[in-house]
Amino acid sequence: MPQDITGATLETSRMVSHTATPHLPFQPARLITSVLRPCRSVLPAIFALSTTLIVSACGVSGGSSVWGNAPSGPGLGTPQTPTAQSATRGDAPEGTPGANDALTGMGGSTLALGDSGYLTPPPDAVRQIEGIPVAILVPLSGRLAGPGKALLEGAQMALFDVGNPEFRLMPFDTMGTPLGAEQAARSAINKGARLIVGPLLADSVTAVRPIAEAANIKVVAFSNSSHVAGGPIFLAGFTPEEQVDAIVAHAMAEGRRRFAILAPSNEYGNVSVDALRTSVEKRGGEFSRVGFYNPEALDFGDQIQNLSDYKNRVQALKQQRAELSAQGDQASKQALKRMEVLDTWGDPPFDALLLPVLNPQTLQILSAQLAYYDVDQPTVRLLGLQRWDSFPNLSSEPGLIGSQFPAARSAYRDQFEARFAQMFGHGASDLSALSYDVTAVAAALARPSVSGPKYDVATLTDPQGFIGAEGLFRFQENGIAQRGFAIMEVQSSGVRMIQEAPRSFDQPVTTYPPQPTEGTTPALPTS
């Protein structure tokens, strides 16, 4: 049975929420505990079973500990530009909590935030603080300090929510560079880290790999670049491959068979193209057309015309009109009259088009120009990736009505965001939720056992998986996180869920018709 890292037993425990938690008809993935549910002094005996939920320690003195030193020394190079995911799905507000801002954990323990933005240890912290040390490598300085702060805040919240006194988190500043990540990893190993959480960017993950291999410890990184996964490296980020596979599976279930892609001419576009080809071909579909465009451009007319065979379809319309005109009978005249509103004859050579765009402005232009060149829905279904979920006002674009994309959906996200805002005084980013989930897994697996903390491959790749603030996920042996996505559709009244996210990897998908009520997602089915 999968594991749920939100800390709520869906069928038996109450959530700390102003709204009722939807009833779920079966036991979900394994929970990693948090104070999203009240801490209880007596826990059901069933929780002791190995196949059930991980439960939090209640009323424990001391709580989880956080300490760590960033690498010292002069600057470690020029900070990198954020990746697509870190820039769009994880920017956090600037500024860090001051030294007087303290957070209280489940056992009444208080951790004071240092001026550097992470919890500062006492001088003899190594001797005074007991527990299983886990390092988190994030950019706490430099151009990526905003995303780094978001990641650290999510991790801090997981510490308090899980409340495992056996767990100790050590933050290290990567400065947003590969060299900084390498030095941070070395410092973490020297401090006795049993697991490394982070870093954020793919080249930093590459820099950390040989250090982790030499120390024989695992790394759970926030990157979504699948080419750095494998060996000791597990990726928690939402890889394009997983997103593409989810939307292709849904599109083919709807009857789509011929797929094309119009992608930016960069690494993100290349990965998306390869992912689409692999997903379509393994399911027996047709990988029809590929087009690339300059992501900085504002006009994509040439690419759309080439991709959709527009000029040949215009010529086919002229030929059709000429043939009808030559016939001259009444039926031909009526047919010609009906063709006056047409610009092309025949459909594009595909019935599904993937648009892995990087920003909402590009999507707005593409949708308008696709419609202009007769690439219209529902003849051609426009498909997106999870990035679309962060774009505002999708339903205001007529050309996007009917388009679909995958999105992370969790029954616990609202509770997570409410708790986060209460703790930090501002909204949670997607990176905060991602870090929360990973840190919660690490803290839960640090519970005492005969063989020590369970950071081995077999435990990390538990096929049942976990459920967290970002939904259902599990790590695969190739190092990539497989996720359970909901499928969203852009409708004139808003973005609606048309297929709910699974709550178990054994659960068949549940698809239901669009909901007439207002809002971005309908309520989860009750049966």
Side-chain angles (χ1 to χ4, degrees), residues 460-496:
L460 290 175
T461 59
D462 182 345
Q464 300 175 79
F466 309 89
I467 290 181
E470 289 279 46
L472 179 68
F473 69 99
R474 64 182 174 188
F475 295 111
Q476 303 171 99
E477 291 188 359
N478 62 5
I480 296 174
Q482 180 184 3
R483 293 185 175 271
F485 290 99
I487 301 297
M488 315 301 292
E489 182 173 277
V490 181
Q491 300 173 13
S492 58
S493 57
V495 177
R496 309 287 179 181

PDB file of all heavy atoms in Angstrom, residues 460-496:
ATOM      1  N   LEU A 460      13.740   3.398  -0.795  1.00  0.00           N
ATOM      2  CA  LEU A 460      13.426   4.599  -1.570  1.00  0.00           C
ATOM      3  C   LEU A 460      12.554   4.283  -2.779  1.00  0.00           C
ATOM      4  O   LEU A 460      11.755   5.112  -3.205  1.00  0.00           O
ATOM      5  CB  LEU A 460      14.723   5.283  -2.021  1.00  0.00           C
ATOM      6  CG  LEU A 460      15.559   5.950  -0.923  1.00  0.00           C
ATOM      7  CD1 LEU A 460      16.876   6.466  -1.498  1.00  0.00           C
ATOM      8  CD2 LEU A 460      14.787   7.091  -0.272  1.00  0.00           C
ATOM      9  N   THR A 461      12.712   3.095  -3.342  1.00  0.00           N
ATOM     10  CA  THR A 461      11.935   2.718  -4.527  1.00  0.00           C
ATOM     11  C   THR A 461      10.750   1.836  -4.175  1.00  0.00           C
ATOM     12  O   THR A 461      10.306   1.023  -4.996  1.00  0.00           O
ATOM     13  CB  THR A 461      12.831   2.001  -5.556  1.00  0.00           C
ATOM     14  OG1 THR A 461      13.392   0.832  -4.950  1.00  0.00           O
ATOM     15  CG2 THR A 461      13.951   2.894  -6.035  1.00  0.00           C
ATOM     16  N   ASP A 462      10.234   1.981  -2.981  1.00  0.00           N
ATOM     17  CA  ASP A 462       9.032   1.251  -2.571  1.00  0.00           C
ATOM     18  C   ASP A 462       7.961   1.411  -3.654  1.00  0.00           C
ATOM     19  O   ASP A 462       7.541   2.531  -3.950  1.00  0.00           O
ATOM     20  CB  ASP A 462       8.523   1.824  -1.250  1.00  0.00           C
ATOM     21  CG  ASP A 462       7.302   1.085  -0.707  1.00  0.00           C
ATOM     22  OD1 ASP A 462       6.682   0.317  -1.467  1.00  0.00           O
ATOM     23  OD2 ASP A 462       6.964   1.297   0.458  1.00  0.00           O
ATOM     24  N   PRO A 463       7.508   0.329  -4.276  1.00  0.00           N
ATOM     25  CA  PRO A 463       6.564   0.458  -5.395  1.00  0.00           C
ATOM     26  C   PRO A 463       5.222   1.061  -5.005  1.00  0.00           C
ATOM     27  O   PRO A 463       4.485   1.535  -5.867  1.00  0.00           O
ATOM     28  CB  PRO A 463       6.396  -0.986  -5.884  1.00  0.00           C
ATOM     29  CG  PRO A 463       6.791  -1.847  -4.732  1.00  0.00           C
ATOM     30  CD  PRO A 463       7.855  -1.078  -4.020  1.00  0.00           C
ATOM     31  N   GLN A 464       4.907   1.039  -3.713  1.00  0.00           N
ATOM     32  CA  GLN A 464       3.647   1.631  -3.290  1.00  0.00           C
ATOM     33  C   GLN A 464       3.694   3.154  -3.319  1.00  0.00           C
ATOM     34  O   GLN A 464       2.669   3.800  -3.473  1.00  0.00           O
ATOM     35  CB  GLN A 464       3.304   1.155  -1.879  1.00  0.00           C
ATOM     36  CG  GLN A 464       3.151  -0.347  -1.787  1.00  0.00           C
ATOM     37  CD  GLN A 464       2.940  -0.777  -0.357  1.00  0.00           C
ATOM     38  OE1 GLN A 464       1.849  -0.658   0.167  1.00  0.00           O
ATOM     39  NE2 GLN A 464       3.989  -1.257   0.282  1.00  0.00           N
ATOM     40  N   GLY A 465       4.880   3.724  -3.143  1.00  0.00           N
ATOM     41  CA  GLY A 465       5.040   5.161  -3.259  1.00  0.00           C
ATOM     42  C   GLY A 465       4.599   5.938  -2.034  1.00  0.00           C
ATOM     43  O   GLY A 465       4.390   5.386  -0.952  1.00  0.00           O
ATOM     44  N   PHE A 466       4.450   7.240  -2.215  1.00  0.00           N
ATOM     45  CA  PHE A 466       4.110   8.172  -1.153  1.00  0.00           C
ATOM     46  C   PHE A 466       3.068   9.164  -1.678  1.00  0.00           C
ATOM     47  O   PHE A 466       2.986   9.408  -2.874  1.00  0.00           O
ATOM     48  CB  PHE A 466       5.347   8.958  -0.701  1.00  0.00           C
ATOM     49  CG  PHE A 466       6.543   8.108  -0.374  1.00  0.00           C
ATOM     50  CD1 PHE A 466       7.464   7.778  -1.361  1.00  0.00           C
ATOM     51  CD2 PHE A 466       6.757   7.649   0.905  1.00  0.00           C
ATOM     52  CE1 PHE A 466       8.569   6.997  -1.079  1.00  0.00           C
ATOM     53  CE2 PHE A 466       7.861   6.858   1.207  1.00  0.00           C
ATOM     54  CZ  PHE A 466       8.767   6.532   0.220  1.00  0.00           C
ATOM     55  N   ILE A 467       2.319   9.741  -0.757  1.00  0.00           N
ATOM     56  CA  ILE A 467       1.427  10.847  -1.109  1.00  0.00           C
ATOM     57  C   ILE A 467       1.813  12.056  -0.280  1.00  0.00           C
ATOM     58  O   ILE A 467       1.929  11.955   0.942  1.00  0.00           O
ATOM     59  CB  ILE A 467      -0.055  10.501  -0.859  1.00  0.00           C
ATOM     60  CG1 ILE A 467      -0.534   9.460  -1.868  1.00  0.00           C
ATOM     61  CG2 ILE A 467      -0.934  11.750  -0.997  1.00  0.00           C
ATOM     62  CD1 ILE A 467      -1.988   9.088  -1.703  1.00  0.00           C
ATOM     63  N   GLY A 468       2.022  13.187  -0.934  1.00  0.00           N
ATOM     64  CA  GLY A 468       2.395  14.399  -0.227  1.00  0.00           C
ATOM     65  C   GLY A 468       1.632  15.602  -0.721  1.00  0.00           C
ATOM     66  O   GLY A 468       0.581  15.485  -1.358  1.00  0.00           O
ATOM     67  N   ALA A 469       2.159  16.776  -0.422  1.00  0.00           N
ATOM     68  CA  ALA A 469       1.517  18.016  -0.836  1.00  0.00           C
ATOM     69  C   ALA A 469       1.438  18.126  -2.350  1.00  0.00           C
ATOM     70  O   ALA A 469       0.556  18.796  -2.891  1.00  0.00           O
ATOM     71  CB  ALA A 469       2.274  19.210  -0.256  1.00  0.00           C
ATOM     72  N   GLU A 470       2.377  17.495  -3.061  1.00  0.00           N
ATOM     73  CA  GLU A 470       2.383  17.514  -4.523  1.00  0.00           C
ATOM     74  C   GLU A 470       1.773  16.243  -5.112  1.00  0.00           C
ATOM     75  O   GLU A 470       1.951  15.959  -6.285  1.00  0.00           O
ATOM     76  CB  GLU A 470       3.811  17.698  -5.044  1.00  0.00           C
ATOM     77  CG  GLU A 470       4.394  19.090  -4.814  1.00  0.00           C
ATOM     78  CD  GLU A 470       3.929  20.098  -5.837  1.00  0.00           C
ATOM     79  OE1 GLU A 470       2.719  20.141  -6.139  1.00  0.00           O
ATOM     80  OE2 GLU A 470       4.774  20.853  -6.341  1.00  0.00           O
ATOM     81  N   GLY A 471       1.058  15.470  -4.316  1.00  0.00           N
ATOM     82  CA  GLY A 471       0.356  14.317  -4.841  1.00  0.00           C
ATOM     83  C   GLY A 471       1.144  13.027  -4.729  1.00  0.00           C
ATOM     84  O   GLY A 471       2.148  12.920  -4.018  1.00  0.00           O
ATOM     85  N   LEU A 472       0.684  12.027  -5.475  1.00  0.00           N
ATOM     86  CA  LEU A 472       1.240  10.678  -5.444  1.00  0.00           C
ATOM     87  C   LEU A 472       2.560  10.622  -6.222  1.00  0.00           C
ATOM     88  O   LEU A 472       2.658  11.136  -7.329  1.00  0.00           O
ATOM     89  CB  LEU A 472       0.234   9.705  -6.062  1.00  0.00           C
ATOM     90  CG  LEU A 472       0.622   8.236  -6.157  1.00  0.00           C
ATOM     91  CD1 LEU A 472       0.714   7.608  -4.768  1.00  0.00           C
ATOM     92  CD2 LEU A 472      -0.373   7.484  -7.031  1.00  0.00           C
ATOM     93  N   PHE A 473       3.573   9.962  -5.625  1.00  0.00           N
ATOM     94  CA  PHE A 473       4.841   9.788  -6.334  1.00  0.00           C
ATOM     95  C   PHE A 473       5.580   8.582  -5.770  1.00  0.00           C
ATOM     96  O   PHE A 473       5.343   8.144  -4.651  1.00  0.00           O
ATOM     97  CB  PHE A 473       5.717  11.046  -6.241  1.00  0.00           C
ATOM     98  CG  PHE A 473       6.258  11.329  -4.863  1.00  0.00           C
ATOM     99  CD1 PHE A 473       7.547  10.973  -4.508  1.00  0.00           C
ATOM    100  CD2 PHE A 473       5.478  11.971  -3.907  1.00  0.00           C
ATOM    101  CE1 PHE A 473       8.053  11.239  -3.243  1.00  0.00           C
ATOM    102  CE2 PHE A 473       5.969  12.243  -2.637  1.00  0.00           C
ATOM    103  CZ  PHE A 473       7.263  11.879  -2.304  1.00  0.00           C
ATOM    104  N   ARG A 474       6.484   8.062  -6.582  1.00  0.00           N
ATOM    105  CA  ARG A 474       7.397   7.018  -6.125  1.00  0.00           C
ATOM    106  C   ARG A 474       8.673   7.123  -6.942  1.00  0.00           C
ATOM    107  O   ARG A 474       8.667   7.530  -8.118  1.00  0.00           O
ATOM    108  CB  ARG A 474       6.776   5.628  -6.283  1.00  0.00           C
ATOM    109  CG  ARG A 474       6.475   5.201  -7.710  1.00  0.00           C
ATOM    110  CD  ARG A 474       5.820   3.824  -7.732  1.00  0.00           C
ATOM    111  NE  ARG A 474       5.391   3.441  -9.077  1.00  0.00           N
ATOM    112  CZ  ARG A 474       4.670   2.365  -9.342  1.00  0.00           C
ATOM    113  NH1 ARG A 474       4.301   1.558  -8.353  1.00  0.00           N
ATOM    114  NH2 ARG A 474       4.303   2.062 -10.586  1.00  0.00           N
ATOM    115  N   PHE A 475       9.776   6.756  -6.331  1.00  0.00           N
ATOM    116  CA  PHE A 475      11.062   6.764  -7.017  1.00  0.00           C
ATOM    117  C   PHE A 475      11.254   5.427  -7.718  1.00  0.00           C
ATOM    118  O   PHE A 475      11.020   4.369  -7.140  1.00  0.00           O
ATOM    119  CB  PHE A 475      12.203   7.012  -6.040  1.00  0.00           C
ATOM    120  CG  PHE A 475      12.157   8.372  -5.399  1.00  0.00           C
ATOM    121  CD1 PHE A 475      11.869   8.507  -4.055  1.00  0.00           C
ATOM    122  CD2 PHE A 475      12.389   9.508  -6.147  1.00  0.00           C
ATOM    123  CE1 PHE A 475      11.809   9.758  -3.460  1.00  0.00           C
ATOM    124  CE2 PHE A 475      12.333  10.766  -5.569  1.00  0.00           C
ATOM    125  CZ  PHE A 475      12.041  10.890  -4.225  1.00  0.00           C
ATOM    126  N   GLN A 476      11.708   5.493  -8.960  1.00  0.00           N
ATOM    127  CA  GLN A 476      11.968   4.297  -9.739  1.00  0.00           C
ATOM    128  C   GLN A 476      13.459   3.961  -9.688  1.00  0.00           C
ATOM    129  O   GLN A 476      14.284   4.796  -9.304  1.00  0.00           O
ATOM    130  CB  GLN A 476      11.528   4.513 -11.187  1.00  0.00           C
ATOM    131  CG  GLN A 476      10.047   4.892 -11.307  1.00  0.00           C
ATOM    132  CD  GLN A 476       9.679   5.314 -12.720  1.00  0.00           C
ATOM    133  OE1 GLN A 476       9.146   4.543 -13.495  1.00  0.00           O
ATOM    134  NE2 GLN A 476       9.955   6.569 -13.045  1.00  0.00           N
ATOM    135  N   GLU A 477      13.807   2.756 -10.094  1.00  0.00           N
ATOM    136  CA  GLU A 477      15.202   2.342 -10.022  1.00  0.00           C
ATOM    137  C   GLU A 477      16.101   3.150 -10.947  1.00  0.00           C
ATOM    138  O   GLU A 477      17.300   3.242 -10.717  1.00  0.00           O
ATOM    139  CB  GLU A 477      15.325   0.851 -10.333  1.00  0.00           C
ATOM    140  CG  GLU A 477      14.730  -0.045  -9.246  1.00  0.00           C
ATOM    141  CD  GLU A 477      15.018  -1.504  -9.469  1.00  0.00           C
ATOM    142  OE1 GLU A 477      15.670  -1.831 -10.478  1.00  0.00           O
ATOM    143  OE2 GLU A 477      14.593  -2.325  -8.633  1.00  0.00           O
ATOM    144  N   ASN A 478      15.517   3.782 -11.972  1.00  0.00           N
ATOM    145  CA  ASN A 478      16.320   4.644 -12.847  1.00  0.00           C
ATOM    146  C   ASN A 478      16.548   6.018 -12.233  1.00  0.00           C
ATOM    147  O   ASN A 478      17.175   6.884 -12.855  1.00  0.00           O
ATOM    148  CB  ASN A 478      15.669   4.780 -14.229  1.00  0.00           C
ATOM    149  CG  ASN A 478      14.296   5.438 -14.179  1.00  0.00           C
ATOM    150  OD1 ASN A 478      13.831   5.903 -13.123  1.00  0.00           O
ATOM    151  ND2 ASN A 478      13.627   5.478 -15.321  1.00  0.00           N
ATOM    152  N   GLY A 479      16.020   6.247 -11.022  1.00  0.00           N
ATOM    153  CA  GLY A 479      16.245   7.501 -10.324  1.00  0.00           C
ATOM    154  C   GLY A 479      15.204   8.565 -10.574  1.00  0.00           C
ATOM    155  O   GLY A 479      15.267   9.645  -9.970  1.00  0.00           O
ATOM    156  N   ILE A 480      14.238   8.316 -11.433  1.00  0.00           N
ATOM    157  CA  ILE A 480      13.228   9.317 -11.777  1.00  0.00           C
ATOM    158  C   ILE A 480      11.967   9.076 -10.956  1.00  0.00           C
ATOM    159  O   ILE A 480      11.551   7.932 -10.768  1.00  0.00           O
ATOM    160  CB  ILE A 480      12.908   9.268 -13.285  1.00  0.00           C
ATOM    161  CG1 ILE A 480      14.160   9.656 -14.085  1.00  0.00           C
ATOM    162  CG2 ILE A 480      11.747  10.187 -13.641  1.00  0.00           C
ATOM    163  CD1 ILE A 480      13.996   9.504 -15.583  1.00  0.00           C
ATOM    164  N   ALA A 481      11.370  10.154 -10.496  1.00  0.00           N
ATOM    165  CA  ALA A 481      10.135  10.044  -9.729  1.00  0.00           C
ATOM    166  C   ALA A 481       8.950   9.884 -10.671  1.00  0.00           C
ATOM    167  O   ALA A 481       8.727  10.711 -11.557  1.00  0.00           O
ATOM    168  CB  ALA A 481       9.938  11.284  -8.855  1.00  0.00           C
ATOM    169  N   GLN A 482       8.221   8.808 -10.488  1.00  0.00           N
ATOM    170  CA  GLN A 482       6.967   8.617 -11.212  1.00  0.00           C
ATOM    171  C   GLN A 482       5.856   9.247 -10.399  1.00  0.00           C
ATOM    172  O   GLN A 482       5.784   9.072  -9.180  1.00  0.00           O
ATOM    173  CB  GLN A 482       6.681   7.132 -11.413  1.00  0.00           C
ATOM    174  CG  GLN A 482       5.389   6.855 -12.167  1.00  0.00           C
ATOM    175  CD  GLN A 482       5.081   5.373 -12.271  1.00  0.00           C
ATOM    176  OE1 GLN A 482       5.814   4.547 -11.732  1.00  0.00           O
ATOM    177  NE2 GLN A 482       4.003   5.034 -12.934  1.00  0.00           N
ATOM    178  N   ARG A 483       4.977   9.976 -11.069  1.00  0.00           N
ATOM    179  CA  ARG A 483       3.934  10.713 -10.356  1.00  0.00           C
ATOM    180  C   ARG A 483       2.553  10.392 -10.903  1.00  0.00           C
ATOM    181  O   ARG A 483       2.405   9.982 -12.062  1.00  0.00           O
ATOM    182  CB  ARG A 483       4.193  12.218 -10.436  1.00  0.00           C
ATOM    183  CG  ARG A 483       5.449  12.631  -9.663  1.00  0.00           C
ATOM    184  CD  ARG A 483       5.647  14.124  -9.631  1.00  0.00           C
ATOM    185  NE  ARG A 483       6.783  14.460  -8.797  1.00  0.00           N
ATOM    186  CZ  ARG A 483       6.721  14.688  -7.483  1.00  0.00           C
ATOM    187  NH1 ARG A 483       5.552  14.621  -6.874  1.00  0.00           N
ATOM    188  NH2 ARG A 483       7.801  15.005  -6.797  1.00  0.00           N
ATOM    189  N   GLY A 484       1.587  10.582 -10.048  1.00  0.00           N
ATOM    190  CA  GLY A 484       0.199  10.422 -10.460  1.00  0.00           C
ATOM    191  C   GLY A 484      -0.393  11.785 -10.759  1.00  0.00           C
ATOM    192  O   GLY A 484      -0.538  12.624  -9.860  1.00  0.00           O
ATOM    193  N   PHE A 485      -0.699  12.050 -12.014  1.00  0.00           N
ATOM    194  CA  PHE A 485      -1.187  13.361 -12.436  1.00  0.00           C
ATOM    195  C   PHE A 485      -2.701  13.359 -12.627  1.00  0.00           C
ATOM    196  O   PHE A 485      -3.286  12.365 -13.064  1.00  0.00           O
ATOM    197  CB  PHE A 485      -0.550  13.781 -13.761  1.00  0.00           C
ATOM    198  CG  PHE A 485       0.914  14.110 -13.670  1.00  0.00           C
ATOM    199  CD1 PHE A 485       1.871  13.177 -14.043  1.00  0.00           C
ATOM    200  CD2 PHE A 485       1.334  15.345 -13.220  1.00  0.00           C
ATOM    201  CE1 PHE A 485       3.218  13.474 -13.967  1.00  0.00           C
ATOM    202  CE2 PHE A 485       2.683  15.657 -13.141  1.00  0.00           C
ATOM    203  CZ  PHE A 485       3.630  14.716 -13.509  1.00  0.00           C
ATOM    204  N   ALA A 486      -3.297  14.485 -12.321  1.00  0.00           N
ATOM    205  CA  ALA A 486      -4.656  14.765 -12.775  1.00  0.00           C
ATOM    206  C   ALA A 486      -4.577  15.314 -14.193  1.00  0.00           C
ATOM    207  O   ALA A 486      -3.533  15.811 -14.625  1.00  0.00           O
ATOM    208  CB  ALA A 486      -5.327  15.775 -11.856  1.00  0.00           C
ATOM    209  N   ILE A 487      -5.666  15.217 -14.935  1.00  0.00           N
ATOM    210  CA  ILE A 487      -5.735  15.815 -16.267  1.00  0.00           C
ATOM    211  C   ILE A 487      -6.731  16.970 -16.207  1.00  0.00           C
ATOM    212  O   ILE A 487      -7.874  16.814 -15.788  1.00  0.00           O
ATOM    213  CB  ILE A 487      -6.174  14.799 -17.334  1.00  0.00           C
ATOM    214  CG1 ILE A 487      -5.192  13.622 -17.364  1.00  0.00           C
ATOM    215  CG2 ILE A 487      -6.255  15.466 -18.711  1.00  0.00           C
ATOM    216  CD1 ILE A 487      -3.773  13.973 -17.743  1.00  0.00           C
ATOM    217  N   MET A 488      -6.265  18.134 -16.645  1.00  0.00           N
ATOM    218  CA  MET A 488      -7.074  19.347 -16.626  1.00  0.00           C
ATOM    219  C   MET A 488      -7.468  19.727 -18.049  1.00  0.00           C
ATOM    220  O   MET A 488      -6.731  19.447 -19.010  1.00  0.00           O
ATOM    221  CB  MET A 488      -6.288  20.500 -15.987  1.00  0.00           C
ATOM    222  CG  MET A 488      -5.552  20.140 -14.708  1.00  0.00           C
ATOM    223  SD  MET A 488      -6.617  19.524 -13.397  1.00  0.00           S
ATOM    224  CE  MET A 488      -7.539  21.022 -13.003  1.00  0.00           C
ATOM    225  N   GLU A 489      -8.622  20.361 -18.193  1.00  0.00           N
ATOM    226  CA  GLU A 489      -9.081  20.829 -19.495  1.00  0.00           C
ATOM    227  C   GLU A 489      -9.463  22.300 -19.398  1.00  0.00           C
ATOM    228  O   GLU A 489     -10.113  22.726 -18.438  1.00  0.00           O
ATOM    229  CB  GLU A 489     -10.279  20.022 -19.983  1.00  0.00           C
ATOM    230  CG  GLU A 489     -10.765  20.439 -21.370  1.00  0.00           C
ATOM    231  CD  GLU A 489     -11.851  19.525 -21.907  1.00  0.00           C
ATOM    232  OE1 GLU A 489     -11.490  18.464 -22.466  1.00  0.00           O
ATOM    233  OE2 GLU A 489     -13.040  19.859 -21.740  1.00  0.00           O
ATOM    234  N   VAL A 490      -9.054  23.073 -20.397  1.00  0.00           N
ATOM    235  CA  VAL A 490      -9.415  24.485 -20.466  1.00  0.00           C
ATOM    236  C   VAL A 490     -10.804  24.600 -21.078  1.00  0.00           C
ATOM    237  O   VAL A 490     -11.026  24.160 -22.208  1.00  0.00           O
ATOM    238  CB  VAL A 490      -8.399  25.281 -21.304  1.00  0.00           C
ATOM    239  CG1 VAL A 490      -8.784  26.767 -21.343  1.00  0.00           C
ATOM    240  CG2 VAL A 490      -6.987  25.108 -20.761  1.00  0.00           C
ATOM    241  N   GLN A 491     -11.720  25.153 -20.314  1.00  0.00           N
ATOM    242  CA  GLN A 491     -13.090  25.359 -20.780  1.00  0.00           C
ATOM    243  C   GLN A 491     -13.426  26.840 -20.691  1.00  0.00           C
ATOM    244  O   GLN A 491     -12.722  27.619 -20.054  1.00  0.00           O
ATOM    245  CB  GLN A 491     -14.057  24.514 -19.946  1.00  0.00           C
ATOM    246  CG  GLN A 491     -13.768  23.028 -20.028  1.00  0.00           C
ATOM    247  CD  GLN A 491     -14.608  22.210 -19.073  1.00  0.00           C
ATOM    248  OE1 GLN A 491     -15.578  22.693 -18.496  1.00  0.00           O
ATOM    249  NE2 GLN A 491     -14.229  20.947 -18.881  1.00  0.00           N
ATOM    250  N   SER A 492     -14.503  27.230 -21.321  1.00  0.00           N
ATOM    251  CA  SER A 492     -14.864  28.643 -21.350  1.00  0.00           C
ATOM    252  C   SER A 492     -15.132  29.195 -19.963  1.00  0.00           C
ATOM    253  O   SER A 492     -14.954  30.392 -19.713  1.00  0.00           O
ATOM    254  CB  SER A 492     -16.088  28.853 -22.245  1.00  0.00           C
ATOM    255  OG  SER A 492     -17.181  28.074 -21.797  1.00  0.00           O
ATOM    256  N   SER A 493     -15.546  28.334 -19.032  1.00  0.00           N
ATOM    257  CA  SER A 493     -15.848  28.772 -17.675  1.00  0.00           C
ATOM    258  C   SER A 493     -14.667  28.633 -16.727  1.00  0.00           C
ATOM    259  O   SER A 493     -14.772  28.956 -15.545  1.00  0.00           O
ATOM    260  CB  SER A 493     -17.026  27.957 -17.119  1.00  0.00           C
ATOM    261  OG  SER A 493     -16.736  26.566 -17.168  1.00  0.00           O
ATOM    262  N   GLY A 494     -13.546  28.146 -17.208  1.00  0.00           N
ATOM    263  CA  GLY A 494     -12.367  27.976 -16.376  1.00  0.00           C
ATOM    264  C   GLY A 494     -11.661  26.672 -16.656  1.00  0.00           C
ATOM    265  O   GLY A 494     -12.036  25.917 -17.558  1.00  0.00           O
ATOM    266  N   VAL A 495     -10.621  26.404 -15.894  1.00  0.00           N
ATOM    267  CA  VAL A 495      -9.869  25.159 -16.026  1.00  0.00           C
ATOM    268  C   VAL A 495     -10.504  24.120 -15.111  1.00  0.00           C
ATOM    269  O   VAL A 495     -10.649  24.341 -13.911  1.00  0.00           O
ATOM    270  CB  VAL A 495      -8.394  25.362 -15.659  1.00  0.00           C
ATOM    271  CG1 VAL A 495      -7.629  24.041 -15.738  1.00  0.00           C
ATOM    272  CG2 VAL A 495      -7.751  26.389 -16.590  1.00  0.00           C
ATOM    273  N   ARG A 496     -10.883  22.975 -15.684  1.00  0.00           N
ATOM    274  CA  ARG A 496     -11.604  21.937 -14.940  1.00  0.00           C
ATOM    275  C   ARG A 496     -10.816  20.628 -14.945  1.00  0.00           C
ATOM    276  O   ARG A 496     -10.126  20.307 -15.907  1.00  0.00           O
ATOM    277  CB  ARG A 496     -12.983  21.674 -15.569  1.00  0.00           C
ATOM    278  CG  ARG A 496     -13.817  22.917 -15.789  1.00  0.00           C
ATOM    279  CD  ARG A 496     -14.355  23.466 -14.504  1.00  0.00           C
ATOM    280  NE  ARG A 496     -15.140  24.672 -14.722  1.00  0.00           N
ATOM    281  CZ  ARG A 496     -15.713  25.376 -13.767  1.00  0.00           C
ATOM    282  NH1 ARG A 496     -15.601  24.990 -12.518  1.00  0.00           N
ATOM    283  NH2 ARG A 496     -16.409  26.467 -14.039  1.00  0.00           N
TER     284      ARG A 496
END
